[in-house]
Amino acid sequence: MQNKGLIKLFAILFGLVSLYQLSFTFLANKVEDNAKVYAEKNVKDNDARQKATLERKYLDSVANKKIIDLGVAQYTYNDVRDKEMNLGLDLKGGINAILQVSVKEVLKSLSNDSKNEAFNKALETADERQKNSNATYLDLFFEEFEKVAGDTKLSDPSIFGTKALSDKISFNEDNFTVRETLQEEINSSIGTAFEVLRSRIDKFGVTSPNIQRIGNSGRIQIELPGAKDIERVTKLITSKAELQFWEVYTNAEVQNFFFTANTKVAELLKDNTTTEQVKDSTEKDDIDDLLGDVVDSTKVQKNLFTYLMPNFAQSQQQMSSLVAQASVRDTAMVNELLGKKEIRDLLPNELRYVKFLWDYKTFTPVKPANAGDDYESRELIGLYAVKSNRNDKPTIEGDVILDAAQVFDQLNKPEVSMTMNSSGSKQWAKMTADNVGRFVAVVLDDYVYTAPSVNQAITGGRTSISGGSMTIEEAEDIATVLKAGKLPAAARIVEAEVVGPSLGQEAIDASFLSFGLAIALVLLWMILYYGKAGLFADVALLVNILFIFGILASFNAVLTLPGIAGIILTIGMSVDANVIIFERIKEGLFKKKGLKQSVEEGFSVKGALSAIIDANITTLLTGIILYVFGTGPIKGFALTLMIGIATSLFTAVFITRLLIDGSINRGTNLTFNTSISKGWFQNINLTFLRKRKIAYIISGAIILGGIASLVTIGLKQGVDFKGGRSYTVRFDKDMNATDVASTLKDAFGTAPEVKTYGTSNQLKITTVYKIDEEGQEVDEQVQNTLYNGLKPYIGTTSYEDFKPGFEKAENANGIMSYRKVDPTIADDIKTSALYAVFGSLLIVFLYILLRFRKISFSIGAVVAVFHDVLIVLGVFSITYSFMPFDMEIGQSFIAAILTVVGYSLNDTVVIFDRIREFAGIHTKWKYSEVVDKALSSTLGRTINTSLTTLLVMLAIFLFGGDSIKGFMFALIVGVIVGTYSSLFVATPIMFDASKKEEKNN
């Protein structure tokens, strides 16, 4: 081998750089472990929220302290943290969300909220179509507008031909040109939303946040590993930050209306039909809690005050901006009743445009001293009445704010200080002057944050948002969203995954256990099979692992659970290169060639190198497809797989060669076997092709059985593909999934899918309840409904402790992880998955055709891949109902299928390469003899590699954690089937196709 010195130097330098990069991870972990110890010592009652706050406090206190001094360079904790290898959501906990910027809202805004009938009809129909379409919202809107518009154009003054767009859209401009302008405006709005969200997230304070746009879909992906306060995060990223200042009606001014409305509501609810309708709507939120001990809702007279508690003013001193209060669970009913036309018609002229808004924060009233044991503590929320107008425009809007910051008031309570521009200063001075002795409300995203009385006109353009119970974090978040600016359109979460830190730590423990076991098995097997040469391969393998982690750390890549699976899989597959080389060397030794010549030939292109390169390229192509079409964890898996392929190729070919050459130069006699493995897979001369018809019958029968199951039983589609919400809930005792499903049927209306997940005290609960409804409050309602439905099983566990996010005690009741996928994005995920599968098959077909120059080789490879995929699908269809682990078909399953494709092709290409070699050497042999001899000569490599890979996969399957068992089961089935198909399907199909090819020629 030439340039040995250069290769040694490169390997040593690369190893040192890898160790240097990984050292930052070890140092950062040490500081973070100290933070956990500090929090454990100082936390009271093991409060998870307080523990997280104490950890953050400790890390903030050491953020700028020097923890490394190398003389030439010094590093603080912040410096080290920026250079550490980042853990993904599934290992560290946190939230991964995809937000959809509302294109509909952008269009409505651009049209100045047009009332044009065709325009609004097109929007309405586009909404419905988007639920089951992969087309963009703008394309759907355009198609629907063309159907209903008649002679009306988009450039009509009643739609987009407005003054605001006059410089971009000309009068009577054709629809196609207007559409291009609209696309530019939409892209601009999405870009603005991206920048606003990035600004908010950068100030949130989590390690290595990730935010990226997803093509031109209007979607933005946000990943915040380590985030524990999930409620705070979702509020921060979905808040539109629309700040408004309104004049306010007092409780005295609206109380007469409440009395009148109360009587009218009683009349409306007298009718049985109406009563039943109201009952149905409230049942969704929790009818039992709402009605208390009431058994028959049709027999008890209800009115507005059943749900709303007005704040009556009997004197001037009792005047307030707070007009009423209600239980949180009754807010939907209050909104419905106050929004009814019959009720709005009762408003006097001076209240004609009143708008009722809720407080931003709930509170729990103090339990009365004389209350009995049956007293039920309810969360309450305040209601305000702001002075709206015909156009629903506030007196002052938030675009006048120049700056915002969290400060403390005179009583040392947190508040948000705001500075206005000159125009806002004048408006604010006038508004406060006009309302001396009255109230004004500061409203953010339609929630009232404060509604104080005005004592005097406020000049100078400064004001503040404060509340008696506002926390520092809330004040910081409000300041953050105001400084970052408001979103140009609402952004709602269409896909979300939340993993609690407790589950993340368990995943880390399981991953390292499986990782260590997998390495140990591979190292032992290589020594057992190849002796000292196997030891050299082990050294190369350990260097390979160092290189993989070093590269991941150098590029600040995020390590995920599928990523660790990718590394472990790479370990199993990287052994393949050494196996191929060693088997070729053994062939040379068997033919009585010298050791040096055999080694030289084994590492040459004519020897093993050609097959190694071809096999690695096919797997690399699969990894690229996974990376392009995958999202989140799948990208992590693909990235580590691709890095592993590159590093394993270098270590197997060069590091192993250096060690073997060094041993030979020292006079060591390498045999590439041991006393145990000596003679294995030698002098094999099987006639594979004669058995091909039997193989076709066996494969055909298995595939037909699988297809029959797919048609009759189908596959268990996960929320990725069908939409819905999935919760992993842990209990303090063993649970019966059937009983829980039956109990939750009453809460959700239909029985959710409930299955034991891992341990017997952990369930996976999947439901489509309210999945078609939009809004952040819907997610909260569904979670609350789940909590109330599980009340019989979780005892006194509070809702705060039940929610996902903060660390949970070992046997605590609560949500460990949560996943939500809207139906609108589920179709897109499914389509992307299909593109990935067929795209990989097409690329591999073309590569093999290019490499082997015969279409019969491509046909054999692709037919074998289809064979493997169909069998894996059939196995999943037949077994998912009784397997004791999750076997949902989702993005991870597609990743497994593509990995199976890559592995199967890897095996097939090695065999095809040997057939091509034998065909060139033994020109007088029959082609059937060439094929059989080639298969026999590679049998040792095929079984050895498959066995090694299976050992690794079994280690992950048994010890790698619950969330990855289905993924690994697919890989195990795929490896077994792929090994079989490369011998008994791919090669025979190639042989039969080549005979037809010859006849046609």
Side-chain angles (χ1 to χ4, degrees):
M1 184 175 66
Q2 296 178 338
N3 301 316
K4 287 184 182 179
L6 189 63
I7 292 168
K8 278 183 184 177
L9 179 63
F10 176 79
I12 291 169
L13 290 176
F14 200 177
L16 290 173
V17 169
S18 296
L19 287 170
Y20 172 75
Q21 291 293 341
L22 288 170
S23 68
F24 292 109
T25 302
F26 294 128
L27 289 165
N29 287 342
K30 186 178 178 183
V31 175
E32 286 157 15
D33 287 341
N34 291 339
K36 288 178 182 176
V37 171
Y38 169 81
E40 290 283 353
K41 282 183 179 178
N42 293 280
V43 71
K44 294 178 181 177
D45 301 323
N46 203 29
D47 186 296
R49 185 181 291 271
Q50 187 189 12
K51 194 184 293 184
T53 303
L54 288 169
E55 279 183 39
R56 186 77 260 153
K57 180 182 175 183
Y58 179 91
L59 294 174
D60 287 343
S61 69
V62 300
N64 296 309
K65 285 187 178 179
K66 293 169 187 172
I67 59 173
I68 305 179
D69 189 348
L70 300 177
V72 292
Q74 297 174 328
Y75 296 99
T76 65
Y77 168 67
N78 276 347
D79 296 329
V80 170
R81 189 186 65 179
D82 291 340
K83 292 176 181 289
E84 73 172 326
M85 185 168 61
N86 304 310
L87 296 180
L89 187 76
D90 45 11
L91 293 174
K92 197 173 185 179
I95 179 170
N96 180 11
I98 294 179
L99 279 75
Q100 175 74 64
V101 177
S102 175
V103 176
K104 176 184 179 180
E105 198 170 311
V106 174
L107 291 174
K108 291 188 77 169
S109 176
L110 291 171
S111 72
N112 200 21
D113 204 12
S114 171
K115 299 298 186 287
N116 182 281
E117 189 177 340
F119 171 76
N120 284 289
K121 179 66 176 173
L123 289 175
E124 185 182 330
T125 314
D127 272 347
E128 287 301 313
R129 284 190 59 191
Q130 193 181 35
K131 294 176 182 177
N132 300 298
S133 173
N134 298 317
T136 66
Y137 188 89
L138 184 62
D139 288 340
L140 296 173
F141 164 75
F142 191 77
E143 288 174 16
E144 294 305 320
F145 185 79
E146 290 286 314
K147 292 177 185 176
V148 298
D151 296 330
T152 306
K153 293 185 176 181
L154 289 170
S155 57
D156 190 273
S158 67
I159 308 178
F160 296 115
T162 60
K163 274 188 179 181
L165 292 172
S166 58
D167 58 331
K168 297 177 181 177
I169 297 176
S170 305
F171 175 71
N172 215 26
E173 197 166 40
D174 66 272
N175 285 347
F176 184 79
T177 310
V178 173
R179 180 186 179 187
E180 290 182 337
T181 304
L182 293 176
Q183 185 65 67
E184 290 174 7
E185 292 296 313
I186 289 167
N187 289 342
S188 175
S189 295
I190 294 166
T192 302
F194 177 80
E195 293 302 326
V196 167
L197 288 170
R198 184 165 66 178
S199 178
R200 293 181 188 179
I201 287 167
D202 285 345
K203 294 177 178 65
F204 187 70
V206 298
T207 307
S208 305
N210 176 41
I211 176 169
Q212 57 187 353
R213 287 180 63 172
I214 302 176
N216 293 317
S217 62
R219 291 175 185 150
I220 298 170
Q221 184 173 18
I222 293 170
E223 187 168 13
L224 300 176
K228 296 179 180 178
D229 195 339
I230 304 304
E231 193 174 344
R232 181 185 172 200
V233 170
T234 52
K235 195 177 289 184
L236 185 74
I237 62 178
T238 57
S239 169
K240 192 177 176 184
E242 192 166 32
L243 185 67
Q244 300 170 332
F245 298 85
W246 294 92
E247 295 179 338
V248 177
Y249 291 111
T250 66
N251 52 344
E253 290 173 304
V254 299
Q255 65 184 21
N256 287 337
F257 162 69
F258 280 151
F259 279 121
T260 311
N262 185 54
T263 305
K264 186 66 176 177
V265 167
E267 291 177 11
L268 292 172
L269 297 184
K270 269 185 183 178
D271 180 67
N272 286 342
T273 307
T274 308
T275 306
E276 287 299 317
Q277 196 172 3
V278 172
K279 179 177 181 290
D280 288 343
S281 67
T282 56
E283 272 180 340
K284 294 176 185 176
D285 290 325
D286 195 352
I287 189 65
D288 295 330
D289 285 345
L290 187 65
L291 300 182
D293 296 328
V294 177
V295 177
D296 187 352
S297 64
T298 62
K299 294 179 181 178
V300 178
Q301 182 57 55
K302 294 191 172 297
N303 52 39
L304 179 63
F305 295 164
T306 305
Y307 309 103
L308 188 71
M309 297 171 282
N311 182 24
F312 296 127
Q314 297 176 356
S315 65
Q316 185 68 26
Q317 286 72 29
Q318 292 177 326
M319 288 265 287
S320 172
S321 56
L322 183 72
V323 299
Q325 293 175 342
S327 175
V328 172
R329 64 189 176 217
D330 292 340
T331 53
M333 175 60 75
V334 173
N335 289 339
E336 181 184 343
L337 294 174
L338 292 179
K340 285 181 176 291
K341 184 179 183 302
E342 299 93 327
I343 304 300
R344 297 290 301 185
D345 288 344
L346 300 174
L347 289 165
N349 284 334
E350 63 271 19
L351 295 175
R352 185 178 176 186
Y353 297 111
V354 66
K355 182 159 73 169
F356 293 102
L357 298 176
W358 295 104
D359 201 335
Y360 85 102
K361 199 170 187 179
T362 63
F363 69 96
T364 304
V366 178
K367 181 179 178 180
N370 60 348
D373 293 336
D374 58 346
Y375 174 81
E376 183 186 0
S377 179
R378 296 188 299 168
E379 272 193 297
L380 300 180
I381 189 168
L383 185 69
Y384 298 84
V386 301
K387 295 183 179 180
S388 188
N389 47 59
R390 183 189 299 274
N391 298 318
D392 196 25
K393 294 290 183 184
T395 311
I396 305 175
E397 293 195 90
D399 52 7
V400 301
I401 301 298
L402 284 177
D403 194 17
Q406 183 268 312
V407 296
F408 293 95
D409 63 14
Q410 294 176 340
L411 299 175
N412 204 35
K413 289 185 177 180
E415 65 177 19
V416 180
S417 175
M418 298 178 291
T419 307
M420 299 180 177
N421 60 24
S422 58
S423 172
S425 299
K426 292 173 185 175
Q427 294 176 56
W428 184 234
K430 183 180 185 307
M431 183 179 182
T432 52
D434 292 345
N435 286 276
V436 172
R438 296 183 61 81
F439 302 90
V440 293
V442 181
V443 177
L444 185 64
D445 291 337
D446 285 337
Y447 287 96
V448 177
Y449 276 73
T450 184
S453 61
V454 180
N455 298 321
Q456 60 184 21
I458 302 172
T459 57
R462 295 190 70 85
T463 189
S464 64
I465 301 176
S466 60
S469 58
M470 181 180 287
T471 65
I472 294 175
E473 285 182 344
E474 287 170 342
E476 286 175 346
D477 290 347
I478 294 166
T480 293
V481 297
L482 291 179
K483 284 177 74 173
K486 73 174 183 179
L487 291 172
R492 67 185 180 91
I493 296 175
V494 293
E495 182 182 352
E497 183 175 11
V498 172
V499 178
S502 303
L503 202 60
Q505 186 59 51
E506 289 171 14
I508 292 174
D509 296 340
S511 297
F512 276 107
L513 176 62
S514 61
F515 189 76
L517 182 60
I519 292 173
L521 288 171
V522 172
L523 296 180
L524 286 171
W525 175 255
M526 290 300 287
I527 293 172
L528 175 71
Y529 195 87
Y530 291 111
K532 193 170 185 179
L535 183 62
F536 294 152
D538 287 348
V539 172
L541 183 60
L542 293 173
V543 172
N544 182 28
I545 294 167
L546 174 65
F547 285 176
I548 292 172
F549 280 106
I551 292 170
L552 289 171
S554 299
F555 291 98
N556 287 113
V558 177
L559 185 64
T560 61
L561 191 57
I564 289 177
I567 294 171
I568 299 175
L569 183 61
T570 301
I571 291 168
M573 294 177 68
S574 68
V575 171
D576 183 45
N578 278 135
V579 169
I580 294 172
I581 292 168
F582 290 174
E583 290 300 316
R584 292 305 290 260
I585 293 171
K586 283 168 70 175
E587 284 179 21
L589 294 173
F590 184 73
K591 293 175 182 177
K592 306 299 182 184
K593 294 179 180 179
L595 180 59
K596 279 192 176 182
Q597 186 183 350
S598 297
V599 169
E600 192 71 39
E601 287 182 0
F603 280 95
S604 69
V605 174
K606 289 183 179 179
L609 200 56
S610 174
I612 291 169
I613 291 171
D614 283 338
N616 277 275
I617 286 176
T618 52
T619 310
L620 183 66
L621 289 172
T622 306
I624 291 169
I625 294 293
L626 269 173
Y627 191 80
V628 170
F629 288 99
T631 58
I634 292 179
K635 277 187 182 289
F637 174 77
L639 181 64
T640 54
L641 187 65
M642 291 188 291
I643 291 172
I645 288 167
T647 56
S648 64
L649 193 60
F650 173 79
T651 54
V653 174
F654 294 110
I655 302 295
T656 309
R657 178 71 188 273
L658 283 173
L659 294 170
I660 288 174
D661 283 354
S663 179
I664 292 172
N665 292 336
R666 288 192 300 272
T668 305
N669 183 29
L670 292 174
T671 60
F672 294 88
N673 56 35
T674 64
S675 57
I676 297 172
S677 63
K678 191 174 182 179
W680 287 8
F681 304 112
Q682 289 182 359
N683 297 320
I684 294 174
N685 190 17
L686 299 176
T687 52
F688 287 91
L689 293 180
R690 289 184 183 176
K691 312 288 193 304
R692 68 184 187 278
K693 290 182 180 178
I694 297 172
Y696 290 164
I697 292 169
I698 293 171
S699 293
I702 294 172
I703 288 172
L704 285 173
I707 290 173
S709 179
L710 288 168
V711 172
T712 55
I713 301 173
L715 292 163
K716 180 187 176 186
Q717 292 191 56
V719 293
D720 282 1
F721 285 175
K722 67 181 181 182
R725 293 179 178 86
S726 183
Y727 302 87
T728 301
V729 184
R730 185 170 293 173
F731 300 85
D732 58 5
K733 55 183 177 292
D734 292 349
M735 300 299 296
N736 183 297
T738 306
D739 292 346
V740 173
S742 178
T743 303
L744 288 175
K745 182 178 180 181
D746 296 333
F748 289 134
T750 57
E753 183 182 289
V754 182
K755 188 169 184 178
T756 301
Y757 188 70
T759 56
S760 55
N761 69 325
Q762 193 164 271
L763 298 176
K764 188 169 189 178
I765 301 169
T766 304
T767 177
V768 292
Y769 177 59
K770 289 192 173 184
I771 194 61
D772 289 320
E773 296 183 28
E774 297 179 5
Q776 187 58 37
E777 66 280 358
V778 177
D779 293 335
E780 186 68 20
Q781 286 173 18
V782 176
Q783 192 169 270
N784 208 300
T785 304
L786 175 67
Y787 169 73
N788 288 319
L790 292 175
K791 271 278 191 181
Y793 306 105
I794 59 178
T796 58
T797 302
S798 69
Y799 182 57
E800 280 299 313
D801 291 335
F802 178 78
K803 291 192 293 189
F806 294 102
E807 289 182 20
K808 300 186 187 300
E810 190 173 341
N811 291 316
N813 296 300
I815 298 172
M816 306 302 289
S817 67
Y818 154 67
R819 181 156 176 74
K820 168 204 169 180
V821 180
D822 269 17
T824 52
I825 197 172
D827 285 332
D828 295 352
I829 292 171
K830 196 185 296 185
T831 303
S832 296
L834 291 172
Y835 284 156
V837 172
F838 287 107
S840 64
L841 290 175
L842 177 62
I843 288 174
V844 167
F845 179 89
L846 294 174
Y847 174 77
I848 292 176
L849 181 61
L850 180 70
R851 189 74 179 86
F852 293 96
R853 306 297 175 108
K854 283 187 176 182
I855 199 168
S856 56
F857 282 91
S858 290
I859 291 171
V862 171
V863 168
V865 166
F866 268 113
H867 165 277
D868 299 345
V869 170
L870 284 172
I871 288 180
V872 173
L873 288 171
V875 169
F876 263 62
S877 175
I878 293 167
T879 61
Y880 81 79
S881 61
F882 58 84
M883 279 294 186
F885 50 85
D886 189 37
M887 294 180 68
E888 288 184 347
I889 305 300
Q891 293 184 85
S892 295
F893 178 78
I894 297 302
I897 287 292
L898 287 176
T899 307
V900 167
V901 168
Y903 182 86
S904 177
L905 288 166
N906 186 315
D907 214 5
T908 302
V909 165
V910 171
I911 293 171
F912 282 1
D913 196 82
R914 183 57 69 94
I915 292 170
R916 181 180 57 181
E917 180 190 340
F918 274 27
I921 296 172
H922 307 289
T923 53
K924 293 183 180 180
W925 287 6
K926 286 183 179 180
Y927 195 52
S928 59
E929 189 178 357
V930 168
V931 172
D932 281 337
K933 291 285 186 183
L935 283 169
S936 297
S937 68
T938 58
L939 190 61
R941 172 262 159 201
T942 300
I943 293 175
N944 204 345
T945 298
S946 299
L947 184 61
T948 308
T949 308
L950 277 172
L951 283 172
V952 171
M953 289 178 177
L954 282 169
I956 310 171
F957 177 75
L958 295 172
F959 303 102
D962 302 321
S963 63
I964 208 166
K965 283 193 186 297
F967 174 74
M968 293 314 303
F969 181 72
L971 290 181
I972 289 169
V973 174
V975 167
I976 294 170
V977 175
T979 303
Y980 161 81
S981 70
S982 61
L983 294 169
F984 296 102
V985 178
T987 308
I989 291 286
M990 179 277 298
F991 176 75
D992 288 338
S994 64
K995 287 200 300 182
K996 289 184 180 178
E997 206 174 352
E998 287 175 12
K999 285 181 183 178
N1000 292 334
N1001 291 333

